[in-house]
């Protein structure tokens, strides 16, 4: 299949958009956290460790709203 979105129903596209928007919100949280930590004087390593944890959480939260088939396609 060239593009999955062409095979999805309108409802599936809405659900995918909701999931994608939630993920983008979580990524925005990461950027705000990075800025706050940098302003507070945290080291680059401390910031990186925190952001890795946040990224992993975002991935877990996002994939929890997806079907196992959709997750398999991502992996």
């Amino acid at each position: 299949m060239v593009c999955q979105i062409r095979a999805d129903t309108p409802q599936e596209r809405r659900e995918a958009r909701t999931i994608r928007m939630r993920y983008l919100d979580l990524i925005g949280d990461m950027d705000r956290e990075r800025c706050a930590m940098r302003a507070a004087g945290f080291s680059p390593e401390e910031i990186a460790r925190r952001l890795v944890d946040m990224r992993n959480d975002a991935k877990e939260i996002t994939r929890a709203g997806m079907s196992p088939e959709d997750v398999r396609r991502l992996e």
Side-chain angles (χ1 to χ4, degrees), residues 3 10 15 18 23 28-29 35 45 64 72-74:
C3 181
E15 290 170 6
T18 299
Y23 179 76
D29 292 345
C35 291
E45 182 176 348
R72 276 193 299 280
R73 278 193 296 234
L74 287 176

Side-chain angles (χ1 to χ4, degrees), residues 42-55:
F42 285 89
S43 73
E45 182 176 348
E46 290 171 311
I47 295 169
R49 289 182 184 280
R50 174 69 180 129
L51 293 181
V52 165
D53 288 342
M54 290 179 77
R55 184 200 61 211

Side-chain angles (χ1 to χ4, degrees), residues 8-22 62 65-67 70:
D8 290 344
T9 66
Q11 177 62 31
E12 289 169 329
R13 287 194 294 272
R14 280 191 295 275
E15 290 170 6
R17 183 177 190 280
T18 299
I19 291 168
R20 194 167 45 254
M21 295 305 294
R22 176 65 180 136
T62 301
M66 300 170 70
S67 72
D70 289 339

